[in-house]
Amino acid sequence: QVQLVESGGGLVQPGGSLRLSCVASGVIFGISAMGWYRQAPGKQREFVASIASGTTITYADSVKGRFTISRGNAENTVTLQMNSLNSEDTAVYFCIARRGTVYWGRGTQVTVSS
């Protein structure tokens, strides 16, 4: 089992930045990928970004050039640096980790509003 805990969400003005962090615990050996999804009110959950094998990075088109995903030195952490935020980025952001199956965190709220 892998447990994931996200942090760093909050309220930010349009054009601002936030940094999300996720820490994995439990059986973390063999985690092959970590990443982020988000779910806006009334919408389906969507992919945001992922990093696999420490080097293969993928972004949704909607966040390319604005968001940066990275893994920590301990390999059980993943961060999402979010810049130039706009109202369409408002959502609950979920951390995921793949170790055979995919594990999900409980999510952290990001609200972009003036």
Side-chain angles (χ1 to χ4, degrees):
Q1 290 286 344
V2 177
Q3 295 81 45
L4 302 170
V5 178
E6 304 97 334
S7 62
L11 173 64
V12 64
Q13 292 186 341
S17 299
L18 278 177
R19 184 178 179 88
L20 304 183
S21 296
C22 173
V23 179
S25 62
V27 183
I28 62 173
F29 175 80
I31 290 178
S32 58
M34 297 186 74
W36 296 89
Y37 278 69
R38 67 185 181 186
Q39 187 166 18
K43 294 186 178 181
Q44 291 187 336
R45 195 170 295 187
E46 65 176 5
F47 170 79
V48 176
S50 67
I51 181 166
S53 301
T55 57
T56 302
I57 293 175
T58 306
Y59 294 103
D61 287 343
S62 59
V63 307
K64 281 181 181 177
R66 300 188 299 121
F67 290 11
T68 302
I69 189 171
S70 60
R71 291 282 293 270
N73 290 332
E75 291 298 320
N76 67 326
T77 61
V78 64
T79 62
L80 186 68
Q81 177 66 42
M82 305 186 296
N83 300 326
S84 301
L85 288 162
N86 59 62
S87 59
E88 294 186 351
D89 297 315
T90 294
V92 178
Y93 284 70
F94 298 90
C95 175
I96 65 102
R98 185 171 69 225
R99 184 183 179 277
T101 189
V102 176
Y103 297 87
W104 293 80
R106 292 187 175 184
T108 185
Q109 177 69 48
V110 171
T111 302
V112 184
S113 176
S114 56

XYZ file of all heavy atoms in Angstrom:
848
model
N 0.831 -1.191 0.000
C 0.000 0.000 0.000
C 0.868 1.243 0.000
O 1.948 1.267 0.587
C -0.900 0.013 1.245
C -1.990 -1.046 1.226
C -3.119 -0.722 0.279
O -3.262 0.410 -0.162
N -3.909 -1.728 -0.047
N 0.386 2.245 -0.697
C 1.060 3.539 -0.744
C 0.079 4.601 -0.266
O -1.067 4.651 -0.734
C 1.535 3.869 -2.178
C 2.177 5.251 -2.210
C 2.517 2.813 -2.679
N 0.501 5.418 0.648
C -0.305 6.545 1.092
C 0.295 7.833 0.548
O 1.519 8.001 0.550
C -0.379 6.609 2.626
C -1.096 5.442 3.276
C -0.211 4.211 3.405
O 0.940 4.294 3.802
N -0.752 3.046 3.062
N -0.567 8.713 0.104
C -0.136 9.977 -0.496
C -0.806 11.133 0.241
O -2.021 11.108 0.465
C -0.507 10.022 -1.973
C 0.062 8.910 -2.844
C -0.585 8.928 -4.215
C 1.569 9.053 -2.975
N -0.013 12.130 0.579
C -0.540 13.313 1.248
C -0.085 14.553 0.491
O 1.115 14.776 0.328
C -0.073 13.392 2.709
C -0.595 14.673 3.362
C -0.553 12.169 3.491
N -1.071 15.328 0.034
C -0.779 16.554 -0.698
C -0.794 17.748 0.255
O -1.475 17.743 1.272
C -1.822 16.812 -1.794
C -2.007 15.698 -2.788
C -3.182 14.800 -2.466
O -3.559 14.713 -1.277
O -3.724 14.168 -3.404
N -0.063 18.789 -0.138
C -0.075 20.047 0.598
C 0.232 21.184 -0.368
O 0.721 20.949 -1.480
C 0.946 20.032 1.741
O 2.254 19.870 1.233
N -0.060 22.406 0.081
C 0.322 23.576 -0.701
C -0.810 24.271 -1.430
O -0.597 25.300 -2.068
N -2.011 23.716 -1.362
C -3.122 24.374 -2.029
C -3.535 25.636 -1.300
O -3.046 25.950 -0.220
N -4.442 26.384 -1.915
C -4.926 27.600 -1.282
C -5.572 28.524 -2.283
O -5.890 28.139 -3.410
N -5.744 29.761 -1.858
C -6.358 30.805 -2.681
C -5.271 31.699 -3.246
O -4.392 32.164 -2.500
C -7.330 31.627 -1.837
C -7.950 32.864 -2.488
C -8.824 32.460 -3.660
C -8.738 33.647 -1.443
N -5.328 31.958 -4.530
C -4.333 32.800 -5.187
C -5.023 33.659 -6.225
O -6.034 33.250 -6.812
C -3.217 31.933 -5.819
C -3.778 31.053 -6.916
C -2.070 32.778 -6.321
N -4.493 34.844 -6.448
C -5.063 35.733 -7.458
C -4.643 35.294 -8.858
O -3.596 34.656 -9.028
C -4.608 37.160 -7.198
C -5.190 37.766 -5.934
C -4.835 39.238 -5.793
O -3.909 39.733 -6.416
N -5.587 39.935 -4.950
N -5.436 35.650 -9.857
C -5.032 35.344 -11.245
C -3.654 35.903 -11.546
O -3.323 37.033 -11.162
C -6.114 36.049 -12.075
C -7.311 36.066 -11.188
C -6.776 36.270 -9.804
N -2.853 35.090 -12.217
C -1.484 35.466 -12.516
C -0.484 35.057 -11.454
O 0.730 35.157 -11.660
N -0.987 34.576 -10.328
C -0.121 34.191 -9.225
C 0.425 32.784 -9.362
O 0.204 32.105 -10.376
N 1.125 32.350 -8.329
C 1.787 31.047 -8.329
C 1.473 30.287 -7.053
O 1.223 30.890 -5.996
C 3.307 31.223 -8.438
O 3.672 31.867 -9.633
N 1.512 28.982 -7.164
C 1.410 28.087 -6.016
C 2.327 26.897 -6.271
O 2.596 26.542 -7.428
C -0.014 27.571 -5.820
C -1.034 28.444 -5.087
C -2.391 27.759 -5.088
C -0.586 28.764 -3.675
N 2.753 26.291 -5.184
C 3.596 25.100 -5.278
C 2.926 23.993 -4.478
O 2.763 24.123 -3.262
C 4.997 25.381 -4.742
C 5.976 24.234 -4.891
C 7.341 24.663 -4.362
N 8.342 23.629 -4.450
C 9.111 23.433 -5.522
N 8.988 24.208 -6.569
N 10.014 22.471 -5.523
N 2.561 22.922 -5.163
C 1.973 21.770 -4.500
C 3.047 20.722 -4.236
O 3.955 20.533 -5.052
C 0.876 21.153 -5.368
C -0.262 22.080 -5.805
C -1.289 21.276 -6.605
C -0.909 22.755 -4.626
N 2.912 20.051 -3.119
C 3.829 18.974 -2.775
C 3.043 17.723 -2.417
O 1.907 17.810 -1.936
C 4.718 19.378 -1.599
O 5.549 20.464 -1.930
N 3.653 16.589 -2.641
C 3.024 15.312 -2.308
C 4.109 14.388 -1.761
O 5.190 14.264 -2.350
C 2.393 14.702 -3.553
S 1.753 13.023 -3.333
N 3.804 13.777 -0.639
C 4.730 12.838 -0.013
C 4.100 11.457 0.010
O 2.958 11.303 0.459
C 5.096 13.271 1.417
C 6.039 12.258 2.052
C 5.732 14.654 1.409
N 4.837 10.490 -0.478
C 4.382 9.101 -0.463
C 4.988 8.377 0.723
O 6.155 8.568 1.060
C 4.791 8.405 -1.754
N 4.195 7.522 1.352
C 4.673 6.699 2.457
C 4.099 5.303 2.309
O 3.256 5.042 1.448
C 4.282 7.312 3.806
O 2.871 7.385 3.923
N 4.570 4.420 3.148
C 4.150 3.027 3.047
C 5.175 2.257 2.234
O 6.377 2.414 2.416
N 4.710 1.440 1.309
C 5.611 0.653 0.463
C 5.968 1.510 -0.745
O 5.293 1.500 -1.770
C 4.974 -0.677 0.030
C 5.966 -1.497 -0.774
C 4.475 -1.452 1.248
N 7.020 2.287 -0.644
C 7.370 3.226 -1.709
C 8.385 2.655 -2.681
O 8.578 3.201 -3.775
C 7.880 4.564 -1.144
C 9.154 4.355 -0.326
C 6.799 5.234 -0.307
C 9.797 5.638 0.119
N 9.006 1.536 -2.320
C 9.954 0.920 -3.249
C 9.198 0.455 -4.475
O 8.156 -0.169 -4.386
C 10.653 -0.275 -2.584
C 11.559 -1.022 -3.519
C 12.830 -0.536 -3.788
C 11.154 -2.192 -4.145
C 13.676 -1.205 -4.653
C 11.982 -2.866 -5.009
C 13.254 -2.367 -5.265
N 9.724 0.797 -5.632
C 9.090 0.343 -6.864
C 8.070 1.294 -7.450
O 7.410 0.964 -8.446
N 7.933 2.490 -6.855
C 7.055 3.488 -7.475
C 7.688 3.901 -8.800
O 8.785 4.417 -8.824
C 6.854 4.698 -6.564
C 6.012 4.317 -5.344
C 6.183 5.839 -7.324
C 5.808 5.449 -4.353
N 6.971 3.662 -9.878
C 7.541 3.925 -11.196
C 7.164 5.308 -11.731
O 7.819 5.821 -12.642
C 7.081 2.871 -12.198
O 5.663 2.858 -12.281
N 6.114 5.891 -11.205
C 5.700 7.210 -11.691
C 4.882 7.911 -10.617
O 4.215 7.262 -9.801
C 4.863 7.091 -12.960
N 4.967 9.212 -10.633
C 4.134 10.052 -9.780
C 3.609 11.195 -10.617
O 4.206 11.552 -11.652
C 4.904 10.575 -8.573
C 5.382 9.479 -7.634
S 6.152 10.089 -6.121
C 4.709 10.665 -5.201
N 2.509 11.774 -10.186
C 1.952 12.853 -10.978
C 0.777 13.514 -10.321
O 0.521 13.307 -9.120
N 0.066 14.300 -11.118
C -1.056 15.098 -10.619
C -2.234 15.038 -11.582
O -2.060 15.092 -12.812
C -0.638 16.554 -10.445
C 0.425 16.748 -9.423
C 1.779 16.710 -9.618
C 0.231 16.993 -8.024
N 2.433 16.920 -8.430
C 1.507 17.102 -7.440
C -0.891 17.155 -7.208
C 1.695 17.353 -6.076
C -0.705 17.411 -5.861
C 0.569 17.505 -5.308
N -3.404 14.938 -10.997
C -4.664 15.111 -11.708
C -5.422 16.235 -11.013
O -5.063 16.638 -9.905
C -5.491 13.822 -11.657
C -5.116 12.792 -12.672
C -3.903 12.112 -12.596
C -5.964 12.485 -13.725
C -3.551 11.165 -13.541
C -5.630 11.530 -14.675
C -4.424 10.874 -14.571
O -4.097 9.932 -15.513
N -6.464 16.720 -11.653
C -7.299 17.730 -11.018
C -8.754 17.543 -11.434
O -9.048 16.967 -12.476
C -6.829 19.138 -11.377
C -7.009 19.529 -12.841
C -6.380 20.899 -13.097
N -6.560 21.320 -14.473
C -6.007 22.425 -15.005
N -5.242 23.208 -14.236
N -6.233 22.736 -16.261
N -9.627 18.046 -10.584
C -11.054 17.971 -10.874
C -11.698 19.288 -10.498
O -11.705 19.673 -9.318
C -11.716 16.832 -10.125
C -13.168 16.609 -10.522
C -13.714 15.287 -10.027
O -13.170 14.660 -9.128
N -14.798 14.840 -10.647
N -12.202 19.962 -11.519
C -12.899 21.223 -11.305
C -14.374 20.943 -11.002
O -14.898 19.883 -11.374
C -12.767 22.105 -12.538
N -15.051 21.875 -10.363
C -16.475 21.680 -10.050
C -17.289 21.366 -11.294
O -17.205 22.081 -12.295
C -16.878 23.022 -9.434
C -15.626 23.597 -8.898
C -14.544 23.153 -9.824
N -18.053 20.291 -11.252
C -18.916 19.923 -12.358
C -18.210 19.308 -13.548
O -18.837 19.080 -14.588
N -16.916 19.045 -13.405
C -16.157 18.476 -14.520
C -15.532 17.145 -14.127
O -15.395 16.835 -12.943
C -15.078 19.453 -14.975
C -15.626 20.733 -15.574
C -14.501 21.589 -16.132
C -15.030 22.856 -16.789
N -13.932 23.681 -17.355
N -15.127 16.404 -15.134
C -14.446 15.142 -14.874
C -13.006 15.391 -14.440
O -12.401 16.416 -14.761
C -14.467 14.272 -16.138
C -15.842 13.741 -16.503
C -15.783 12.744 -17.650
O -14.865 12.755 -18.450
N -16.764 11.864 -17.709
N -12.489 14.423 -13.708
C -11.087 14.502 -13.319
C -10.218 14.432 -14.570
O -10.476 13.641 -15.478
C -10.768 13.349 -12.367
C -9.477 13.484 -11.609
C -9.375 12.434 -10.523
N -10.391 12.608 -9.490
C -10.428 11.898 -8.364
N -9.508 10.957 -8.142
N -11.379 12.103 -7.469
N -9.177 15.273 -14.599
C -8.316 15.314 -15.782
C -6.844 15.251 -15.396
O -6.450 15.701 -14.317
C -8.575 16.590 -16.600
C -8.225 17.879 -15.903
C -8.404 19.095 -16.802
O -8.884 18.961 -17.944
O -8.050 20.202 -16.346
N -6.061 14.745 -16.312
C -4.610 14.637 -16.133
C -3.979 16.023 -16.176
O -4.375 16.866 -16.981
C -4.038 13.755 -17.246
C -2.548 13.757 -17.326
C -1.785 13.008 -16.455
C -1.903 14.529 -18.285
C -0.414 13.010 -16.529
C -0.527 14.539 -18.371
C 0.222 13.775 -17.496
N -2.976 16.231 -15.316
C -2.243 17.493 -15.315
C -0.790 17.276 -15.725
O -0.311 17.888 -16.674
C -2.302 18.151 -13.923
C -1.446 19.423 -13.900
C -3.740 18.471 -13.535
N -0.090 16.439 -15.008
C 1.322 16.227 -15.288
C 1.786 14.945 -14.612
O 1.211 14.522 -13.615
C 2.165 17.398 -14.789
N 2.838 14.350 -15.168
C 3.415 13.164 -14.559
C 4.897 13.099 -14.842
O 5.400 13.710 -15.797
C 2.733 11.891 -15.080
O 3.009 11.699 -16.449
N 5.594 12.359 -13.982
C 7.014 12.115 -14.168
C 7.255 10.649 -13.894
O 6.911 10.137 -12.827
C 7.865 13.044 -13.277
C 9.346 12.795 -13.489
C 7.468 12.946 -11.810
C 10.228 13.889 -12.893
N 7.822 9.956 -14.881
C 8.012 8.511 -14.792
C 9.496 8.188 -14.854
O 10.254 8.845 -15.574
C 7.273 7.819 -15.924
N 9.856 7.192 -14.104
C 11.247 6.731 -14.086
C 12.213 7.870 -13.825
O 13.357 7.828 -14.275
C 11.597 6.041 -15.417
O 10.737 4.960 -15.634
N 11.719 8.899 -13.169
C 12.553 10.020 -12.798
C 12.881 10.990 -13.903
O 13.403 12.080 -13.655
N 12.579 10.639 -15.166
C 13.005 11.503 -16.255
C 11.946 11.781 -17.305
O 12.012 12.809 -17.975
C 14.223 10.889 -16.966
O 13.874 9.576 -17.417
C 15.426 10.806 -16.041
N 10.993 10.901 -17.502
C 9.994 11.094 -18.552
C 8.865 11.949 -18.012
O 8.111 11.522 -17.144
C 9.446 9.748 -19.039
O 10.523 8.943 -19.511
C 8.435 9.968 -20.155
N 8.771 13.159 -18.525
C 7.793 14.126 -18.036
C 6.744 14.395 -19.101
O 7.079 14.574 -20.274
C 8.487 15.433 -17.626
C 9.380 15.189 -16.408
C 7.467 16.521 -17.328
C 10.204 16.389 -15.985
N 5.501 14.423 -18.663
C 4.374 14.689 -19.562
C 3.473 15.729 -18.930
O 3.219 15.684 -17.725
C 3.572 13.401 -19.818
O 4.447 12.375 -20.294
C 2.489 13.643 -20.864
N 2.994 16.646 -19.744
C 2.081 17.692 -19.293
C 0.820 17.698 -20.150
O 0.861 17.417 -21.346
C 2.719 19.080 -19.398
C 3.894 19.316 -18.490
C 5.198 19.283 -18.986
C 3.711 19.598 -17.141
C 6.282 19.507 -18.159
C 4.791 19.833 -16.300
C 6.074 19.777 -16.821
O 7.145 20.006 -15.992
N -0.284 18.070 -19.535
C -1.481 18.378 -20.310
C -1.218 19.657 -21.105
O -0.496 20.542 -20.653
C -2.665 18.567 -19.373
N -1.824 19.738 -22.272
C -1.607 20.926 -23.110
C -2.005 22.211 -22.381
O -1.393 23.265 -22.590
C -2.422 20.798 -24.400
C -1.838 19.779 -25.358
O -0.654 19.398 -25.192
O -2.564 19.353 -26.273
N -3.012 22.109 -21.538
C -3.537 23.299 -20.870
C -2.568 23.896 -19.846
O -2.745 25.052 -19.441
C -4.857 22.968 -20.173
O -4.676 21.931 -19.232
N -1.552 23.143 -19.445
C -0.631 23.653 -18.419
C 0.802 23.774 -18.919
O 1.668 24.263 -18.190
C -0.673 22.783 -17.148
C -2.107 22.630 -16.640
C -0.024 21.425 -17.369
N 1.066 23.332 -20.135
C 2.425 23.414 -20.676
C 2.931 24.849 -20.658
O 2.218 25.769 -21.039
C 2.456 22.877 -22.105
C 2.470 21.368 -22.210
C 2.520 20.930 -23.669
C 2.511 19.415 -23.779
N 2.480 18.965 -25.191
N 4.165 24.997 -20.205
C 4.766 26.319 -20.151
C 4.434 27.084 -18.890
O 5.033 28.130 -18.628
N 3.485 26.586 -18.107
C 3.097 27.275 -16.866
C 3.383 26.433 -15.626
O 3.710 26.977 -14.573
C 1.601 27.620 -16.894
C 1.199 28.517 -18.041
C -0.255 28.983 -17.905
N -1.205 27.863 -17.909
C -2.052 27.610 -16.908
N -2.073 28.383 -15.843
N -2.891 26.589 -17.000
N 3.233 25.126 -15.756
C 3.429 24.221 -14.627
C 4.726 23.437 -14.823
O 5.099 23.097 -15.960
C 2.276 23.233 -14.515
C 0.952 23.823 -14.085
C 0.751 25.200 -14.026
C -0.092 22.988 -13.740
C -0.473 25.733 -13.639
C -1.318 23.501 -13.345
C -1.498 24.879 -13.301
N 5.379 23.125 -13.705
C 6.590 22.316 -13.732
C 6.489 21.237 -12.667
O 6.269 21.540 -11.490
C 7.838 23.166 -13.485
O 7.914 24.205 -14.467
C 9.095 22.301 -13.564
N 6.671 19.991 -13.087
C 6.640 18.874 -12.152
C 8.059 18.402 -11.897
O 8.912 18.430 -12.793
C 5.760 17.715 -12.701
C 5.558 16.644 -11.631
C 6.371 17.129 -13.964
C 4.522 15.583 -12.034
N 8.309 17.982 -10.662
C 9.641 17.477 -10.338
C 9.537 16.461 -9.213
O 8.591 16.483 -8.416
C 10.583 18.611 -9.952
O 10.086 19.313 -8.821
N 10.505 15.557 -9.160
C 10.594 14.583 -8.076
C 11.657 15.054 -7.100
O 12.651 15.675 -7.478
C 10.983 13.204 -8.614
C 9.958 12.508 -9.454
C 8.840 11.881 -8.632
N 9.247 10.781 -7.793
C 9.243 9.516 -8.171
N 8.873 9.188 -9.392
N 9.584 8.565 -7.328
N 11.454 14.743 -5.842
C 12.432 15.097 -4.840
C 13.595 14.126 -4.821
O 13.530 13.048 -5.412
N 14.640 14.507 -4.145
C 15.820 13.650 -4.044
C 15.503 12.330 -3.359
O 16.126 11.307 -3.647
C 16.926 14.371 -3.278
C 17.506 15.518 -4.069
O 17.493 15.497 -5.297
N 18.002 16.520 -3.371
N 14.529 12.341 -2.491
C 14.171 11.131 -1.764
C 13.331 10.187 -2.609
O 13.052 9.079 -2.178
C 13.403 11.491 -0.497
N 12.920 10.625 -3.777
C 12.160 9.815 -4.727
C 10.768 9.458 -4.245
O 10.036 8.780 -4.945
C 12.911 8.518 -5.085
C 14.165 8.761 -5.917
C 13.865 9.389 -7.264
O 12.872 9.015 -7.894
O 14.622 10.282 -7.669
N 10.404 9.869 -3.024
C 9.041 9.618 -2.590
C 8.232 10.907 -2.512
O 7.195 10.961 -1.871
C 9.016 8.924 -1.222
C 9.522 9.813 -0.101
O 10.413 10.613 -0.299
N 8.948 9.667 1.083
N 8.756 11.950 -3.152
C 8.043 13.215 -3.171
C 7.922 13.713 -4.606
O 8.772 13.427 -5.464
C 8.758 14.286 -2.328
O 10.060 14.514 -2.888
C 8.907 13.836 -0.886
N 6.873 14.448 -4.836
C 6.688 15.085 -6.131
C 6.101 16.467 -5.882
O 5.277 16.649 -4.985
C 5.774 14.252 -7.059
C 4.365 14.131 -6.507
C 5.757 14.829 -8.467
N 6.578 17.434 -6.647
C 6.073 18.791 -6.510
C 5.530 19.276 -7.840
O 5.924 18.796 -8.911
C 7.162 19.758 -6.019
O 8.217 19.785 -6.991
C 7.724 19.319 -4.683
N 4.626 20.227 -7.755
C 4.050 20.842 -8.946
C 4.108 22.345 -8.746
O 3.367 22.901 -7.928
C 2.607 20.391 -9.169
C 1.964 20.877 -10.467
C 2.629 20.199 -11.674
C 0.458 20.594 -10.462
N 5.003 22.986 -9.465
C 5.112 24.436 -9.428
C 4.145 24.991 -10.463
O 4.264 24.674 -11.648
C 6.535 24.889 -9.736
C 6.710 26.394 -9.788
C 6.494 27.062 -8.445
O 6.951 26.567 -7.427
N 5.792 28.190 -8.449
N 3.206 25.813 -10.009
C 2.172 26.339 -10.896
C 2.303 27.851 -10.983
O 2.196 28.547 -9.973
C 0.788 25.954 -10.363
C 0.616 24.466 -10.135
S -1.055 24.007 -9.675
C -1.206 24.845 -8.099
N 2.568 28.349 -12.186
C 2.715 29.776 -12.427
C 1.630 30.266 -13.369
O 0.968 29.474 -14.039
C 4.095 30.071 -13.011
C 5.230 29.662 -12.105
O 5.127 29.730 -10.868
N 6.329 29.226 -12.689
N 1.465 31.561 -13.405
C 0.483 32.187 -14.304
C -0.883 31.532 -14.184
O -1.532 31.204 -15.175
C 0.984 32.109 -15.761
O 2.230 32.754 -15.909
N -1.313 31.366 -12.959
C -2.584 30.696 -12.715
C -3.755 31.540 -13.190
O -3.719 32.778 -13.124
C -2.720 30.370 -11.230
C -1.812 29.233 -10.737
C -1.672 29.262 -9.230
C -2.365 27.895 -11.197
N -4.780 30.858 -13.666
C -6.015 31.532 -14.054
C -7.205 30.788 -13.479
O -7.053 29.709 -12.886
C -6.097 31.664 -15.575
C -6.045 30.321 -16.269
O -6.915 29.479 -16.068
N -5.026 30.109 -17.108
N -8.376 31.337 -13.674
C -9.568 30.783 -13.032
C -9.850 29.352 -13.477
O -10.444 28.572 -12.726
C -10.779 31.665 -13.327
O -11.004 31.758 -14.728
N -9.412 28.995 -14.666
C -9.646 27.637 -15.159
C -8.772 26.612 -14.465
O -8.969 25.410 -14.642
C -9.428 27.579 -16.671
C -10.459 28.388 -17.450
C -10.327 28.218 -18.949
O -9.338 27.610 -19.401
O -11.235 28.683 -19.677
N -7.815 27.070 -13.699
C -6.981 26.156 -12.919
C -7.606 25.829 -11.569
O -7.083 24.997 -10.824
C -5.593 26.758 -12.696
C -4.829 26.962 -13.996
O -4.843 26.047 -14.829
O -4.230 28.051 -14.160
N -8.699 26.490 -11.243
C -9.384 26.201 -9.983
C -9.900 24.773 -9.986
O -10.648 24.374 -10.881
C -10.559 27.172 -9.771
O -10.045 28.497 -9.594
C -11.370 26.786 -8.544
N -9.478 24.005 -8.995
C -9.833 22.585 -8.944
C -9.274 21.974 -7.662
O -8.461 22.598 -6.971
C -9.275 21.844 -10.148
N -9.700 20.760 -7.404
C -9.025 19.944 -6.399
C -7.933 19.178 -7.123
O -8.195 18.525 -8.138
C -9.997 18.975 -5.709
C -9.248 18.112 -4.706
C -11.111 19.750 -5.001
N -6.717 19.287 -6.614
C -5.571 18.637 -7.236
C -5.215 17.376 -6.455
O -5.036 17.425 -5.231
C -4.384 19.588 -7.276
C -4.527 20.634 -8.348
C -5.465 21.655 -8.230
C -3.735 20.602 -9.496
C -5.621 22.602 -9.229
C -3.879 21.549 -10.493
C -4.823 22.545 -10.359
O -4.977 23.486 -11.350
N -5.105 16.268 -7.194
C -4.831 14.970 -6.604
C -3.449 14.480 -7.018
O -3.097 14.515 -8.210
C -5.864 13.939 -7.054
C -7.271 14.255 -6.641
C -8.096 15.008 -7.466
C -7.779 13.784 -5.451
C -9.395 15.305 -7.100
C -9.075 14.076 -5.063
C -9.881 14.844 -5.896
N -2.705 14.000 -6.054
C -1.427 13.355 -6.327
C -1.684 11.885 -6.622
O -2.555 11.259 -5.999
C -0.532 13.510 -5.108
S 1.052 12.656 -5.215
N -0.930 11.326 -7.561
C -1.019 9.914 -7.850
C 0.377 9.296 -7.872
O 1.361 9.970 -8.155
C -1.749 9.627 -9.188
C -0.944 10.166 -10.381
C -3.155 10.186 -9.177
C -0.183 9.099 -11.125
N 0.409 8.016 -7.564
C 1.649 7.248 -7.641
C 1.315 5.900 -8.236
O 0.307 5.280 -7.884
C 2.284 7.088 -6.265
N 2.148 5.459 -9.154
C 1.937 4.162 -9.774
C 2.966 3.179 -9.261
O 4.181 3.405 -9.386
C 2.017 4.257 -11.298
C 1.666 2.928 -11.990
C 1.549 3.115 -13.477
N 2.847 3.387 -14.065
C 3.053 4.341 -14.963
N 2.064 5.122 -15.331
N 4.246 4.516 -15.468
N 2.472 2.141 -8.664
C 3.313 1.027 -8.214
C 2.503 -0.228 -8.509
O 1.847 -0.790 -7.649
C 3.637 1.164 -6.728
C 4.580 0.085 -6.216
C 4.842 0.199 -4.725
N 5.724 -0.840 -4.262
C 5.326 -2.057 -3.950
N 4.037 -2.379 -4.008
N 6.200 -2.962 -3.547
N 2.535 -0.618 -9.773
C 1.628 -1.665 -10.214
C 0.271 -1.012 -10.437
O -0.075 -0.600 -11.541
N -0.478 -0.880 -9.380
C -1.742 -0.142 -9.450
C -1.477 1.347 -9.216
O -0.354 1.745 -8.887
C -2.716 -0.690 -8.397
O -4.005 -0.107 -8.602
C -2.234 -0.360 -6.990
N -2.500 2.138 -9.386
C -2.362 3.583 -9.181
C -3.012 3.953 -7.850
O -4.155 3.596 -7.575
C -3.017 4.372 -10.327
C -2.946 5.878 -10.043
C -2.311 4.064 -11.644
N -2.255 4.667 -7.040
C -2.744 5.147 -5.759
C -3.042 6.636 -5.857
O -2.354 7.368 -6.587
C -1.709 4.888 -4.667
C -1.432 3.429 -4.433
C -0.476 2.745 -5.178
C -2.144 2.712 -3.470
C -0.230 1.402 -4.972
C -1.902 1.367 -3.246
C -0.953 0.722 -4.013
O -0.714 -0.620 -3.804
N -4.041 7.065 -5.096
C -4.486 8.464 -5.135
C -4.419 9.090 -3.746
O -4.721 8.446 -2.743
C -5.937 8.538 -5.610
C -6.141 8.129 -7.027
C -6.230 6.865 -7.511
C -6.275 9.006 -8.144
N -6.413 6.898 -8.871
C -6.451 8.196 -9.282
C -6.277 10.390 -8.294
C -6.616 8.730 -10.563
C -6.450 10.917 -9.558
C -6.612 10.098 -10.682
N -4.047 10.358 -3.727
C -4.173 11.132 -2.508
C -5.595 11.653 -2.370
O -6.444 11.437 -3.239
N -5.843 12.364 -1.273
C -7.186 12.871 -1.024
C -7.438 14.208 -1.696
O -8.588 14.648 -1.794
C -7.424 12.993 0.480
C -7.496 11.656 1.175
C -7.909 11.798 2.627
N -8.091 10.516 3.279
C -8.519 10.350 4.514
N -8.826 11.409 5.251
N -8.660 9.150 5.023
N -6.393 14.859 -2.134
C -6.557 16.099 -2.865
C -6.341 17.342 -2.038
O -6.478 17.335 -0.810
N -5.977 18.407 -2.724
C -5.816 19.718 -2.100
C -6.484 20.755 -3.004
O -6.343 20.715 -4.226
C -4.330 20.043 -1.856
O -4.215 21.278 -1.147
C -3.533 20.124 -3.147
N -7.212 21.669 -2.393
C -7.982 22.649 -3.150
C -7.094 23.796 -3.618
O -6.347 24.385 -2.826
C -9.123 23.209 -2.297
C -9.951 24.291 -2.962
C -10.792 23.765 -4.105
O -11.475 22.743 -3.962
N -10.770 24.441 -5.243
N -7.223 24.124 -4.884
C -6.579 25.309 -5.454
C -7.691 26.205 -6.013
O -8.485 25.765 -6.849
C -5.585 24.942 -6.571
C -5.097 26.207 -7.282
C -4.417 24.164 -5.995
N -7.740 27.427 -5.522
C -8.741 28.377 -5.977
C -8.046 29.619 -6.514
O -7.248 30.245 -5.808
C -9.688 28.771 -4.836
O -10.328 27.604 -4.311
C -10.759 29.733 -5.343
N -8.338 29.938 -7.767
C -7.758 31.119 -8.400
C -8.877 32.141 -8.567
O -9.810 31.942 -9.347
C -7.117 30.786 -9.756
C -6.440 32.039 -10.327
C -6.124 29.644 -9.616
N -8.768 33.208 -7.808
C -9.837 34.210 -7.811
C -9.305 35.537 -7.309
O -8.422 35.580 -6.445
C -10.988 33.746 -6.914
O -11.986 34.745 -6.828
N -9.874 36.607 -7.848
C -9.511 37.938 -7.368
C -10.468 38.384 -6.263
O -10.319 39.478 -5.722
C -9.532 38.937 -8.529
O -10.793 38.931 -9.154
